């Protein structure tokens, strides 16, 4: 299979390595495409096992020419979120299949364009939801599929981003709602996808509150950071700021962003307390699912630790899962949990709570990425997936609809009916909202 990658920033290297190294058998990287020629050259220089003159590179304006000349079977989309639709639609209409990073896109207009193009071309869209493949999360699916806790009735789900990872969404394109959809789309697409997959259902009603309480100009003053610069590089108060990102110090960040910024003005280390940020850092959402399950969801982007807590309430008992990914942030330093980072407990009514042995894996995102890459790039070499973890454009759509509806709920103060929202946008996902 021949692949081209569009968007050669931080994330694309996972796909590049999979195609050219770990799953090189039967796969070939034919081209890379980006607006920034320095990032393009950096990526091309790292491609291993390339025949001839190396991998072809194209400026974003030459995307059509790239497809015409290189004829990739699949285009992998790893650009910022607000550009996914453009490349997904263009690739489909040029006769290619698509693999896209999450979120598939950020609003219903862009979603409609993707769904129309997929339907009219019959080509495939795969959304790379790596979180489904984290062994500990697959284990929850296994327990729920077996009906161990009976019918699921309600879910409490909380996701905490710490002051290192969480802060990073407030530095660059993610921090603008029109570029990322806000964290309820950009980040929560993973979490709402997990919920759709775990419950085998889809959202019908969504209510939400969202605000920005921490990454604000007022907070900079409270933290003694008055007089801060627009970015960390050369910021007058950087030496006393726990949120400083030092692009010079980290080779990867320097070559990917600092050394390339003169070309496109992409500033990687903007101040997290800037006044022009338009996304929330504190969000709470209530979702009612088509099969009757209700869910309370919280996302906080400035927690002192990082991880998640989820409790499934069922007619026979409870299933509780807690994952401490980062134990704490002290100053700017993170401390990883030494042991027992993940716990899963089954508590059936009338019985003592039971700590389960948690399924484990190794590799990025709790062991998820290597498993997912096997399914994506070596489908013949893996077992048929009894957990149905691969995601197409429909799963991609459902995963963003909760967040898009939540954004609308925050903006209007109303409870949003997802079916009505889809109808207004002219989208039919083939389900009955009752
Ligand atoms: N699944 C995960 O766990 C995970 C993790 C990280 C990122 N992501 C996703 O991967 C995507 C990329 O994120 P990233 O962190 O690599 O971002 P990034 O900003 O580091 O990289 C984006 C790249 O796209 C390029 N680009 C910008 N405009 C373009 C255009 N018009 N045409 C072509 N290329 C253009 C930029 O120059 C840059 O090289 C995002 O959608 C993000 O949500 C997913």
């Amino acid at each position: 299979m021949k692949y081209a990658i569009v968007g050669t920033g931080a994330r694309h290297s996972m796909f590049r390595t999979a195609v050219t190294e770990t799953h090189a058998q039967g796969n070939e990287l034919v081209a890379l495409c980006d607006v920034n020629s320095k990032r393009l050259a950096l990526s091309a220089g790292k491609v291993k096992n390339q025949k001839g003159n190396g991998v072809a590179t194209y400026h974003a304006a030459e995307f059509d020419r790239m497809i015409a000349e290189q004829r990739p079977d699949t285009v992998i989309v790893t650009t910022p979120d607000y550009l996914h639709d453009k490349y997904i639609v263009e690739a489909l209409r040029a006769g290619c299949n698509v693999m896209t990073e999450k979120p598939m896109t950020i609003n219903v207009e862009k979603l409609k364009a993707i769904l129309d193009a997929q339907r009219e071309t019959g080509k495939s869209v795969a959304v790379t939801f790596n979180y489904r493949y984290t062994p500990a999360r697959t284990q929850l699916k296994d327990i729920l599929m077996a009906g161990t806790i009976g019918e699921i009735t309600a879910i409490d789900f909380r996701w905490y981003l710490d002051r290192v990872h969480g802060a990073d969404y407030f530095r660059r394109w993610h921090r603008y709602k029109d570029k990322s959809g806000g964290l309820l789309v950009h980040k929560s697409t993973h979490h709402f996808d997990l919920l759709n997959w775990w419950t085998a259902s889809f959202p019908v009603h969504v209510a939400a509150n969202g605000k920005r309480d921490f990454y604000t100009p007022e907070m900079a003053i409270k933290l003694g950071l008055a007089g801060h610069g627009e970015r960390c590089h050369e910021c007058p108060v950087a030496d006393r700021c726990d949120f400083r990102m030092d692009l010079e110090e980290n080779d990867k960040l320097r070559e990917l962003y600092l050394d390339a910024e003169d070309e496109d003005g992409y500033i990687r280390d903007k101040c997290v307390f800037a006044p022009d940020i338009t996304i929330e850092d504190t969000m709470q959402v209530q979702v009612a699912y088509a099969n009757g399950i209700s869910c309370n969801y919280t996302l906080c982007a400035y927690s002192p630790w990082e991880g998640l807590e989820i409790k499934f309430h069922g007619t026979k008992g409870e299933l509780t899962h807690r994952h401490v990914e980062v134990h704490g942030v002290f100053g700017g330093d993170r401390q990883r949990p030494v042991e027992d980072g993940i716990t899963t407990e089954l508590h059936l009514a009338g019985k003592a709570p039971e700590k389960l042995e948690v399924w484990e894996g190794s590799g990025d995102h709790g062991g998820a990425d290597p498993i997912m890459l096997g399914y994506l790039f070596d489908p013949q070499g893996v077992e048929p997936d009894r957990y149905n973890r691969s995601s197409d454009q429909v799963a991609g759509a459902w995963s963003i609809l909760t967040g898009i509806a939540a954004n609308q709920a925050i903006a209007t103060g109303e409870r949003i009916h997802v079916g009505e929202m889809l109808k207004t946008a002219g989208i039919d996902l083939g389900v009955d909202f009752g």
Side-chain angles (χ1 to χ4, degrees):
M1 295 294 242
K2 295 200 283 183
Y3 295 87
I5 302 178
V6 55
T8 56
R11 183 62 173 165
H12 91 288
S13 58
M14 179 189 82
F15 295 97
R16 189 193 65 213
T17 309
V19 175
T20 60
E21 297 178 41
T22 42
H23 298 286
Q25 182 84 22
N27 292 317
E28 187 189 353
L29 180 67
V30 294
L32 295 166
C33 178
D34 201 292
V35 276
N36 188 299
S37 71
K38 291 188 175 170
R39 271 193 288 280
L40 261 182
L42 188 66
S43 178
K46 291 188 173 159
V47 176
K48 293 199 178 141
N49 310 320
Q50 203 63 19
K51 297 178 212 113
N53 294 331
V55 69
T57 56
Y58 292 83
H59 187 271
E62 304 170 317
F63 182 79
D64 292 350
R65 187 159 76 79
M66 174 183 82
I67 303 279
E69 287 178 358
Q70 304 298 335
R71 305 300 325 156
D73 299 292
T74 300
V75 172
I76 299 173
V77 180
T78 47
T79 61
D81 305 347
Y82 68 104
L83 297 164
H84 289 180
D85 63 309
K86 168 183 156 59
Y87 287 113
I88 295 172
V89 169
E90 286 183 21
L92 290 171
R93 296 211 181 276
C96 304
N97 295 316
V98 171
M99 252 177 224
T100 180
E101 257 303 345
K102 49 52 58 172
M104 188 167 77
T105 189
I106 61 168
N107 61 39
V108 281
E109 293 76 24
K110 288 170 181 285
L111 173 60
K112 178 166 166 34
I114 292 172
L115 295 172
D116 288 350
Q118 190 286 324
R119 195 184 55 251
E120 287 160 26
T121 60
K123 290 289 168 181
S124 70
V125 177
V127 187
T128 54
F129 282 126
N130 44 343
Y131 285 29
R132 290 187 179 196
Y133 295 86
T134 307
R137 255 69 94 186
T138 308
Q139 182 182 19
L140 299 181
K141 175 74 176 169
D142 187 71
I143 295 165
L144 297 169
M145 273 168 71
T148 310
I149 62 164
E151 300 288 319
I152 311 168
T153 54
I155 300 171
D156 293 306
F157 193 6
R158 294 179 290 277
W159 203 289
Y160 306 96
L161 298 167
D162 70 23
R163 293 172 181 220
V164 174
H165 186 196
D168 209 30
Y169 296 107
F170 294 81
R171 293 199 173 96
R172 44 183 176 147
W173 54 265
H174 309 78
R175 72 186 192 170
Y176 304 115
K177 236 183 194 175
D178 62 343
K179 302 265 188 291
S180 68
L183 289 176
L184 285 172
V185 173
H186 174 79
K187 188 70 194 165
S188 310
T189 182
H190 275 308
H191 314 153
F192 294 134
D193 174 66
L194 284 173
L195 286 167
N196 296 339
W197 174 63
W198 279 324
T199 61
S201 193
F202 58 88
V204 175
H205 279 108
V206 176
N209 286 302
K211 52 195 177 149
R212 182 158 57 95
D213 276 343
F214 189 79
Y215 299 103
T216 63
E218 296 75 25
M219 186 56 72
I221 294 166
K222 279 188 201 158
L223 294 173
L225 301 170
H228 64 79
E230 285 186 15
R231 61 180 301 189
C232 300
H233 198 56
E234 295 163 5
C235 173
V237 300
D239 58 339
R240 53 190 155 91
C241 179
D242 285 339
F243 296 85
R244 174 187 194 178
M245 166 171 266
D246 191 344
L247 294 176
E248 298 259 29
E249 190 195 56
N250 180 313
D251 285 347
K252 257 191 179 166
L253 290 173
R254 186 180 38 71
E255 56 183 10
L256 199 52
Y257 303 106
L258 189 62
D259 293 350
E261 68 182 37
D262 59 329
E263 218 181 275
D264 56 5
Y266 177 174
I267 306 296
R268 177 67 179 80
D269 61 345
K270 286 187 184 168
C271 180
V272 300
F273 301 111
D276 67 335
I277 293 170
T278 53
I279 64 169
E280 297 87 6
D281 58 18
T282 313
M283 292 138 280
Q284 294 186 298
V285 183
Q286 274 204 331
V287 193
Y289 287 87
N291 60 3
I293 296 172
S294 52
C295 174
N296 275 321
Y297 169 85
T298 297
L299 179 64
C300 178
Y302 47 89
S303 297
W305 65 285
E306 174 138 333
L308 67 113
E309 293 168 329
I310 186 161
K311 186 183 287 288
F312 297 89
H313 304 267
T315 50
K316 292 185 184 170
E318 280 176 6
L319 179 63
T320 309
H321 174 74
R322 187 165 196 263
H323 185 173
V324 183
E325 288 185 77
V326 175
H327 184 63
V329 179
F330 309 104
D333 296 328
R334 303 171 103 192
Q335 189 175 317
R336 305 260 169 206
V338 192
E339 54 187 26
D340 253 5
I342 309 182
T343 50
T344 301
E345 188 180 274
L346 179 65
H347 190 174
L348 294 178
K351 295 198 174 163
E354 183 193 351
K355 278 221 168 6
L356 304 182
E357 200 164 310
V358 177
W359 294 4
E360 286 178 4
S362 59
D364 281 353
H365 293 105
D369 290 1
I371 302 174
M372 178 183 75
L373 293 170
Y375 278 96
L376 288 173
F377 296 107
D378 184 18
Q380 314 303 328
V382 290
E383 307 240 311
D385 188 7
R386 63 183 297 254
Y387 302 113
N388 209 9
R389 283 171 290 188
S390 69
S391 311
D392 62 6
Q393 71 286 345
V394 176
W398 285 121
S399 75
I400 52 174
L401 284 167
T402 310
I404 292 172
N407 278 337
Q408 205 171 309
I410 293 168
T412 60
E414 287 170 11
R415 185 177 188 238
I416 304 301
H417 188 274
V418 177
E420 291 300 322
M421 186 176 81
L422 288 176
K423 203 164 143 198
T424 307
I427 296 172
D428 182 0
L429 287 174
V431 297
D432 184 3
F433 280 91

